[in-house]
Amino acid sequence: MPRVHHFERARLDWKAKSVLITGGTGSFGQKFVATMLQRHKPRRLIVFSRDELKQSEMAQQFTDPCVRFFLGDIRDLRRLERAFDGVDVVVHAAALKQVPSGEYNPTEVIATNVMGSQNVIEAAIDRNVERVIALSTDKAASPINLYGATKLCADKLFVAGNSYAGRHQTRFAVVRYGNVINSRGSVIPLFKKLKAEGRIPITDPRMTRFWITLEQGVDFVIRCLDLQHGGEIFVPKLASMKLMDLAEVVAPGCKHDIVGIRSGEKLHEVLVPEDDARRTIEFDDYYVIQPDFPWWGEEKVAGGKPVPDRFCYSSDTNPRMIGAGELRTMLGEK
C-alpha cells in the first residue's frame, strides 16, 4: 500500500456523490464504470457520450439502478450544463485520439480536445461541480503532433481552470500516463492479428514506450480524485519497454519489416519534460507537476521531494524496464 502523507485531502464519500464520466463508452470509461460499481457504489453514475449504440450495449451490461446514460457531445456547452446539474465529480475522458487522423482533420481535433475541454470547465464551474479530473497523455509532453498539442492545451486549460473558477468550489486536476496495454490504439492488437502471417511492421528498433494496464489507469485516476487540491498534473511511475522486446513477446519468431517512424511519432515518449523539473515533486509511486499558483503552499506537497535539476522522465532512460515475464502478466497470459 502507498504511504499516506499530508498531501492527501479527506477521502471522498463516494456513496454520497454523483459522478459523471465524459467519453464514458470508451475502453477507459467502461472499466471506470465497472470499478466504481464494484468498489465504491456512488449515489449516481452518469455515462456521457455521443455514441448511442455503445450506450445501448453498456446499458445491457451495467444494470445497477444508479447508472444513467446521457447522450451528448462535449462540443455542446448547453448539453454539458444540463448533464452536470447536481453532479459532484467529473472525470473527463472524451477526446479524439488518433494521431494520423488528427493530422488530416486538425479542426475537428481542436474542436473536441480544446474547445470541448473548455466547455467541460465552463459547465463544471457554473454547475458547482466539486472536483474534475482530466485524462492526458504522454504525447502532451513536448508535443510534435496535433493530438499531443491539443492535449497539452487542454492540460493548461484545466490547470488554469482553478483560477478561472473564482469564488466557486470547483477544483481541476490532470492525470497523465502512457500507452494502455491492449487498448484499441495500441500496437499489441496489431501484432497479435499479424502474428499468423509471420511478419509484423516495426517502426524503429530503438523505440521505447511507457506502458500501463487499463485497471492501473482507472485505479490511479480514482486515487488522484482523493489527492487533488487543484492544479496538479499527476504522473504515475510506470514501466517502459523496448518495441523489439514487445514484438518478441507478442509475436515471437515473426520477421520484422522496418517501416520507419510515422509522421508525428516520437522515438521515445516523455511524461515529465525537463523544463517542468523545477515544479515537479516525487512521491513513492508517482510524480506531481505543481501549478504555478500564488496560493499553492508547501503543506500541499508534504511527504514528497523535489526531483533533481534538469530531471526528465523519459521512456528510454526510465530505470524500470519491463521484462518478458512481467509483460505476459500485464497481458493476462499468466
Side-chain angles (χ1 to χ4, degrees):
M1 292 290 292
R3 73 169 184 255
V4 177
H5 44 67
H6 294 106
F7 183 89
E8 192 165 334
R9 299 175 67 184
R11 289 187 176 276
L12 288 164
D13 178 10
W14 291 109
K15 291 181 174 60
K17 300 300 181 184
S18 178
V19 182
L20 181 146
I21 178 167
T22 69
T25 54
S27 299
F28 179 91
Q30 294 195 41
K31 187 66 175 179
F32 177 82
V33 170
T35 302
M36 290 300 294
L37 292 176
Q38 290 167 7
R39 300 182 191 172
H40 302 290
K41 311 289 186 184
R43 178 173 60 84
R44 189 167 51 138
L45 183 53
I46 304 165
V47 175
F48 182 97
S49 80
R50 61 184 183 179
D51 193 322
E52 62 178 346
L53 175 59
K54 288 182 181 177
Q55 285 200 10
S56 176
E57 293 170 346
M58 277 188 74
Q60 296 175 44
Q61 179 183 359
F62 299 106
T63 58
D64 191 295
C66 81
V67 179
R68 307 283 194 276
F69 293 92
F70 206 114
L71 276 172
D73 195 318
I74 61 170
R75 298 185 186 187
D76 185 343
L77 176 57
R78 291 192 65 184
R79 190 62 171 163
L80 280 172
E81 288 173 340
R82 176 60 57 207
F84 285 9
D85 191 32
V87 169
D88 303 300
V89 176
V90 169
V91 175
H92 178 47
L96 294 179
K97 303 174 182 177
Q98 294 294 325
V99 171
S101 64
E103 299 298 303
Y104 191 69
N105 303 280
T107 55
E108 293 301 298
V109 181
I110 291 168
T112 294
N113 295 0
V114 180
M115 304 310 297
S117 293
Q118 181 61 30
N119 286 341
V120 169
I121 292 166
E122 298 267 6
I125 293 171
D126 291 343
R127 288 294 181 262
N128 219 29
V129 174
E130 293 176 24
R131 303 188 195 187
V132 181
I133 203 155
L135 270 62
S136 185
T137 168
D138 48 12
K139 293 173 178 61
S142 306
I144 63 169
N145 54 57
L146 186 77
Y147 167 56
T150 60
K151 293 301 284 184
L152 174 60
C153 186
D155 290 356
K156 290 186 175 293
L157 286 172
F158 277 98
V159 170
N162 293 277
S163 297
Y164 192 56
R167 63 180 175 82
H168 294 266
Q169 68 171 346
T170 312
R171 290 293 172 260
F172 301 90
V174 175
V175 166
R176 177 187 292 168
Y177 53 70
N179 293 266
V180 178
I181 284 184
N182 274 338
S183 66
R184 285 174 296 181
S186 161
V187 73
I188 293 174
L190 175 65
F191 282 176
K192 288 181 175 180
K193 179 181 178 181
L194 297 177
K195 182 168 63 172
E197 300 177 14
R199 306 185 73 93
I200 58 172
I202 298 292
T203 50
D204 191 302
R206 299 168 295 169
M207 184 174 284
T208 62
R209 287 294 183 266
F210 290 104
W211 291 98
I212 189 172
T213 67
L214 196 54
E215 182 177 7
Q216 288 172 335
V218 168
D219 288 347
F220 189 66
V221 167
I222 294 172
R223 180 180 169 200
C224 290
L225 281 163
D226 277 327
L227 293 171
Q228 72 173 88
H229 287 268
E232 306 95 330
I233 298 177
F234 293 96
V235 177
K237 291 184 180 179
L238 303 178
S240 300
M241 191 170 198
K242 296 177 182 177
L243 180 61
M244 295 299 289
D245 291 343
L246 175 69
E248 284 302 314
V249 170
V250 178
C254 286
K255 294 186 177 180
H256 301 156
D257 295 324
I258 308 300
V259 297
I261 294 178
R262 299 177 299 174
S263 175
E265 195 170 38
K266 293 181 181 180
L267 188 60
H268 309 291
E269 290 287 5
V270 172
L271 281 168
V272 180
E274 181 180 309
D275 289 334
D276 283 333
R278 63 184 177 83
R279 295 186 291 112
T280 300
I281 299 295
E282 180 180 5
F283 293 90
D284 288 345
D285 55 354
Y286 65 96
Y287 299 97
V288 172
I289 303 175
Q290 303 174 90
D292 201 6
F293 292 153
W295 51 265
W296 187 268
E298 292 182 0
E299 74 280 358
K300 294 183 176 62
V301 293
K305 62 180 181 180
V307 300
D309 188 39
R310 306 192 69 179
F311 170 81
C312 179
Y313 188 33
S314 179
S315 60
D316 61 324
T317 58
N318 185 7
R320 186 184 167 206
M321 301 296 288
I322 301 176
E326 184 176 0
L327 179 62
R328 292 190 182 96
T329 300
M330 294 176 77
L331 290 169
E333 295 181 358
K334 77 173 188 179

